[in-house]
Amino acid sequence: MLKQMPSEESRTRSRTRLAILDAAVAVLGEDQSAPLSQVATVAGVARSTLQRYFADRSALLAALSTYATEKIDDATHRAHVEDGPALKALLRLARELFDLGDIVMLVAPGWENEAEEGEEESATDVALRSLLGRGRAEGTLDARFTAAWMEQLMWSTLYTAWTHVRDHGASKHDSLAACLLSLSKALGTGGQVGTGGQVGTGGQD
C-alpha cells in the first residue's frame, strides 16, 4: 500500500507550528517572561492561532523541549560522528551543536547536570557515548578521562562559548574557535592532560 503524501493542509499546519516554535526561541530566549502575544507577532500569526497549537505557556515550553531534542539529534546526524578519528568527529559535533545555543539554554538551563535516572536516552546520547568510547579505545581521546567526564566537559565548554557570546559580546566565530580549541587541547591525546591514572571516575567508561 502506497504511503499517502501529506495534504496541503497538514503541510501548512506543520509550517505554522515550526514558525511558532522558532519565534518562541527568539522571543523567550531574550526574555522568558515575554507575553505569548509577542511570540505570535514574531511568528506572523494571530494570538488565537498560537493558542490552537499550544494552549498555554507550559504546553509551548514542553513542545520546545521536544523540538530541542529533535534539533540536537539532527545536528548529530549531520556531524557523521561514526566517521573518521573520534576527536575530529567530536569537534564536528561541537561545531553543529554550537548553533543550537539559544534553544538549549532556553529549555534546559540545568542541562549540564546528569540526566535523571530512568530518563529515556536520545539518539545523541547513544551516539555520543559510542563516539567517546571509540575515541578512548583508538587513542585519539585521552583515556585517562571517563566517557561521562568527557561528555559533560563537551556540554560545559559549549555553554561557556554560548554565554561568552550572549553575556560578553564576543563574536560567534571567535567563541566557536575557542570552544573547539579548548575541547581539542583538553580531550585530545596531544594535550598535556592529567597526572596519570583515570580522571572523572564514577561515570560510565
Side-chain angles (χ1 to χ4, degrees):
M1 182 177 181
L2 293 176
K3 184 178 180 180
Q4 289 186 332
M5 295 295 291
S7 66
E8 181 59 35
E9 180 181 1
S10 65
R11 288 195 295 268
T12 298
R13 286 185 58 83
S14 179
R15 286 194 298 268
T16 300
R17 184 177 185 277
L18 288 177
I20 293 171
L21 291 173
D22 286 336
V25 172
V27 172
L28 301 180
E30 288 291 328
D31 178 9
Q32 293 192 35
S33 64
L36 295 189
S37 58
Q38 187 175 343
V39 174
T41 298
V42 172
V45 300
R47 179 69 170 83
S48 57
T49 299
L50 186 150
Q51 283 186 301
R52 286 203 300 272
Y53 286 81
F54 308 104
D56 53 27
R57 184 178 295 267
S58 62
L60 177 58
L61 290 175
L64 282 172
S65 182
T66 300
Y67 188 40
T69 298
E70 293 170 353
K71 291 178 78 69
I72 289 170
D73 287 347
D74 287 344
T76 302
H77 179 73
R78 290 194 303 271
H80 298 288
V81 296
E82 68 281 359
D83 295 340
L87 177 59
K88 290 186 177 180
L90 182 67
L91 297 180
R92 287 197 304 271
L93 176 59
R95 185 184 296 274
E96 292 287 347
L97 293 173
F98 179 79
D99 289 334
L100 304 181
D102 289 343
I103 188 168
V104 174
M105 289 194 292
L106 173 62
V107 303
W111 58 267
E112 67 274 21
N113 297 320
E114 292 186 8
E116 294 183 3
E117 185 177 355
E119 184 177 341
E120 183 178 354
E121 288 189 317
S122 68
T124 294
D125 293 329
V126 175
L128 183 56
R129 185 171 62 249
S130 176
L131 167 64
L132 296 175
R134 175 165 61 86
R136 294 175 76 241
E138 73 187 14
T140 59
L141 296 176
D142 196 320
R144 289 172 292 183
F145 295 118
T146 64
W149 178 274
M150 289 191 281
E151 179 177 358
Q152 190 163 351
L153 182 65
M154 184 199 73
W155 285 111
S156 297
T157 305
L158 280 166
Y159 180 79
T160 299
W162 294 331
T163 56
H164 203 54
V165 173
R166 184 190 65 187
D167 299 339
H168 301 287
S171 72
K172 288 187 174 181
H173 177 273
D174 289 346
S175 292
L176 174 59
C179 174
L180 298 179
L181 178 60
S182 296
L183 288 173
S184 181
K185 290 176 73 66
L187 299 180
T189 51
Q192 299 300 314
V193 185
T195 57
Q198 189 175 69
V199 184
T201 55
Q204 73 266 27
D205 289 337

